[in-house]
């Protein structure tokens, strides 16, 4: 998906610069063209020869050569790029960037870009948490820069904390999704449910369903890379997201899911109910393991779980509400009825009869229904489906704000 994209990589002087040749290698393996501009300080951590060899292009460190009188046209370089990524971005260069400083080749080039610029800050934990850095990050976001936040983990100082640059495969995945998702998502708050709820029968048994959590996680990851602040309410045992900065809340039962979601619902811009929620639970799960000889399993009393989606569909809600539906036949008329019954803004329908769609698969085929349109999403990876869903929701929101 990055094939043919022109990626301008800005490198500033942090230890994480040693990971950049690997990142370049991954970008080029995807078919992207890469050019590198870096600060003199970054060359303490990675050599120009390595960067030139991996990128296949000369590396720009200084805009002028005092001996030959030649200069690099930084404006041309900036306008060449489809996207600029500054990784690692030190606290110093971040401060320079948000204050319009141009004292190194990375900053002066960044200032000339017309394309999106993705910042990947990396620094020690206390520098990252310092009020001046937080202020600069806030300013950078307000100025329109995209941000891939540092992760929690081992730092060069020996400390453990927030500040670590994500690994190159995570940066690649981020950039790929960032490039495909609508910019409407930047700064939005999104809550996504995923996985199948489990309802206890006794301390060893439960009733659940086949949901793996893959569809919900794909949505969470795409929304995160599009710049949203994402909370994923996921069921125990279901898939975990790849990006560590997605806020995950683990639940087990439908009641727990309902309580986790309802507490945060009104803060959200969008809620996506991709979870497969059990419609029923056992009234009073046994505290002891039910014995076969007592035939306890034959006398379970079932009660209905609350319909979380329906409960969220209150009037004047501040959020866009997207429901999911898994049907045996994929009948669009039935799904349209369900959309009305549930009171959601849109419904993503997948069918058990479509091979490669629904539970557990890495792919999906869906029909996305809104109150005035129907969108057919052909069979593709759940990640690609998630991107399409997010882009349709963004268009719906933009359309409704124009009315
Ligand atoms: O997790 P995967 O393996 O990737 O599979 C993805 C998926 C098939 C689970 C997903 O694409 C999907 O279809 N999720 C919804 C499945 C489902 O529960 O469908 P439903 O028709 O029973 O429910 C309709 C909607 O109501 C859903 O948004 C559901 O979250 C919600 N619901 C249902 C029951 C209930 N008590 N409360 C609810 O909120």
């Amino acid at each position: 998906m990055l094939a043919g994209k022109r990626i301008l990589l800005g490198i500033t002087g942090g230890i994480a610069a040693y990971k950049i040749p690997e990142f370049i290698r991954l970008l080029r393996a995807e078919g992207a063209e890469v050019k590198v501009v870096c600060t003199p300080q970054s060359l303490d951590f990675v050599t120009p020869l390595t960067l030139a060899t991996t990128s296949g292009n000369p590396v720009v460190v200084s805009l002028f050569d005092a001996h030959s009188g030649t200069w690099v046209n930084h404006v041309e370089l900036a306008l060449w790029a489809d996207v600029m990524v500054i990784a690692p971005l030190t606290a110093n260069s971040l401060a320079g960037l948000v204050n319009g400083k141009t004292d190194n080749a990375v900053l002066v080039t960044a200032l000339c870009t017309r394309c999106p610029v993705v910042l990947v800050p990396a620094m020690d934990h206390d520098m990252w948490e310092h009020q001046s850095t937080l202020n600069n990050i806030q300013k950078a976001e307000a100025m329109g820069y995209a941000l891939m936040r540092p992760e929690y983990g081992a730092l060069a100082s020996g400390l453990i904390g927030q500040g670590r640059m994500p690994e190159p495969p995570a940066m690649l995945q981020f950039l790929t999704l960032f490039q495909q998702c609508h910019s409407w998502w930047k700064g939005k708050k999104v809550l996504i449910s995923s996985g199948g709820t489990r309802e206890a029968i006794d301390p060893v048994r439960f009733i659940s369903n086949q949901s793996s959590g893959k569809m919900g996680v794909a949505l969470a990851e795409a929304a995160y890379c599009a710049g949203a602040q994402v909370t994923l309410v996921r069921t125990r045992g279901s898939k975990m997201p790849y990006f560590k900065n997605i806020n995950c809340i683990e639940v087990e039962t439908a009641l727990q899911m309902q309580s986790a979601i309802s507490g945060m619902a009104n803060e959200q811009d969008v809620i996506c109910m991709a979870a497969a929620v059990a419609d029923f639970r056992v009234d009073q799960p046994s505290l002891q393991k039910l014995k076969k000889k007592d035939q306890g399993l034959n006398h379970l009393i079932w009660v209905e779980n609350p319909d979380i989606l329906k409960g969220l569909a209150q009037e004047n809600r501040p959020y866009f509400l997207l429901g999911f539906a898994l049907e045996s036949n994929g009948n669009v008329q039935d799904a349209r009825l369900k959309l009305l019954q549930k009171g959601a803004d849109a419904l993503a329908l997948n069918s058990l009869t479509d091979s490669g769609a629904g539970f557990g698969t890495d792919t999906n085929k869906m029909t996305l229904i809104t109150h005035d349109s129907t969108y057919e999403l052909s069979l593709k990876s759940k990640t690609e489906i998630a991107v399409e869903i997010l882009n349709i929701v963004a268009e719906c929101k933009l359309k409704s704000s124009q009315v």
Side-chain angles (χ1 to χ4, degrees):
M1 289 174 196
L2 291 174
K5 291 278 176 211
R6 291 178 298 207
I7 294 165
L8 179 59
L9 207 48
I11 311 175
T12 72
I15 175 71
Y18 83 91
K19 297 180 185 173
I20 296 301
E22 173 66 3
F23 181 45
I24 296 173
R25 201 184 60 74
L26 295 176
L27 289 171
R28 292 196 68 204
E30 292 291 310
E33 214 183 318
V34 181
K35 289 189 181 179
V36 176
V37 52
C38 54
T39 64
Q41 291 77 11
S42 69
L43 301 181
D44 291 335
F45 304 99
V46 61
T47 74
L49 182 60
T50 315
L51 296 169
T53 309
T54 47
S55 69
N57 279 309
V59 174
V60 176
V61 185
S62 162
L63 297 177
F64 307 97
D65 183 335
H67 303 295
S68 65
T70 53
W71 68 292
V72 175
N73 189 336
H74 57 280
V75 179
E76 213 170 78
L77 193 59
L79 297 183
W80 167 86
D82 292 317
V83 59
M84 182 175 189
V85 181
I86 309 183
L89 174 67
T90 59
N92 182 46
S93 288
L94 169 67
L97 192 69
V98 296
N99 286 298
K101 290 205 163 202
T102 54
D103 49 13
N104 65 48
V106 173
L107 295 183
V108 76
T109 309
L111 226 58
C112 299
T113 50
R114 291 183 188 169
C115 62
V117 179
V118 180
L119 309 180
V120 191
M123 59 197 75
D124 213 76
H125 172 75
D126 295 295
M127 293 172 81
W128 173 250
E129 297 275 299
H130 196 281
Q131 196 55 49
S132 61
T133 308
L134 299 178
N135 291 347
N136 287 337
I137 287 290
Q138 215 173 21
K139 271 193 211 166
E141 285 192 293
M143 290 163 91
Y145 291 108
L147 186 70
M148 184 176 194
R149 288 175 186 275
E151 291 181 351
Y152 182 91
L155 300 163
S157 60
L159 292 177
I160 306 237
Q162 204 81 20
R164 195 180 156 82
M165 191 173 84
E167 295 303 315
M171 291 203 289
L172 180 77
Q173 173 78 340
F174 184 94
L175 191 60
T176 307
L177 290 171
F178 168 77
Q179 281 277 295
Q180 295 174 75
C181 290
H182 202 294
S183 58
W184 178 84
W185 288 93
K186 191 166 178 294
K188 297 291 183 300
K189 285 186 120 185
V190 186
L191 191 151
I192 295 161
S193 69
S194 75
T197 58
R198 287 178 182 180
E199 310 296 336
I201 292 172
D202 65 20
V204 298
R205 302 183 182 92
F206 59 82
I207 180 157
S208 186
N209 58 65
Q210 312 255 25
S211 172
S212 62
K214 287 179 183 175
M215 193 62 240
V217 165
L219 282 163
E221 289 178 343
Y224 171 72
C225 297
Q229 206 176 313
V230 181
T231 301
L232 180 70
V233 179
R234 52 171 285 280
T235 57
R236 182 170 301 170
S238 67
K239 187 177 174 181
M240 288 285 288
Y242 185 51
F243 298 104
K244 295 181 186 160
N245 285 323
I246 292 175
N247 174 32
C248 288
I249 298 173
E250 190 178 86
V251 296
E252 189 157 356
T253 64
L255 289 177
Q256 287 170 5
M257 180 170 277
Q258 183 194 38
S259 124
I261 292 176
S262 61
M264 293 182 284
N266 283 333
E267 299 157 22
Q268 308 301 320
D269 294 295
V270 177
I271 298 181
C272 307
M273 282 295 295
V277 184
D279 287 320
F280 294 93
R281 66 178 187 277
V282 173
D283 190 16
Q284 281 175 349
S286 169
L287 297 176
Q288 310 295 326
K289 184 182 172 193
L290 294 172
K291 292 194 189 304
K292 198 162 60 173
K293 68 175 172 52
D294 298 337
Q295 300 216 327
L297 290 166
N298 290 341
H299 305 291
L300 297 175
I301 296 171
W302 296 93
V303 289
E304 214 169 312
N305 268 328
D307 189 321
I308 305 172
L309 179 62
K310 213 168 174 178
L312 289 166
Q314 58 206 254
E315 263 182 58
N316 299 326
R317 56 181 177 265
Y319 44 84
F320 184 96
L321 186 58
L322 171 66
F324 277 66
L326 181 66
E327 302 291 348
S328 317
N329 54 17
N331 185 312
V332 176
Q333 291 317 319
D334 292 349
R336 205 161 264 296
L337 204 60
K338 196 171 222 174
L339 173 66
L340 289 174
Q341 281 165 353
K342 297 270 188 178
D345 296 300
L347 195 82
L349 166 70
N350 38 195
S351 165
L352 282 170
T353 45
D354 287 325
S355 82
F359 284 139
T361 51
D362 290 326
T363 51
N364 213 352
K365 176 173 182 284
M366 301 200 104
T367 306
L368 184 65
I369 301 160
T370 63
H371 289 283
D372 52 17
S373 301
T374 303
Y375 305 83
E376 292 299 340
L377 314 182
S378 62
L379 186 72
K380 46 181 85 75
S381 74
K382 281 185 173 163
T383 300
E384 290 169 295
I385 292 279
V387 169
E388 287 192 30
I389 291 175
L390 294 191
N391 288 343
I392 293 168
V393 171
E395 290 298 343
C396 288
K397 288 296 295 178
L398 287 170
K399 218 166 32 174
S400 69
S401 69
Q402 284 161 4
V403 176

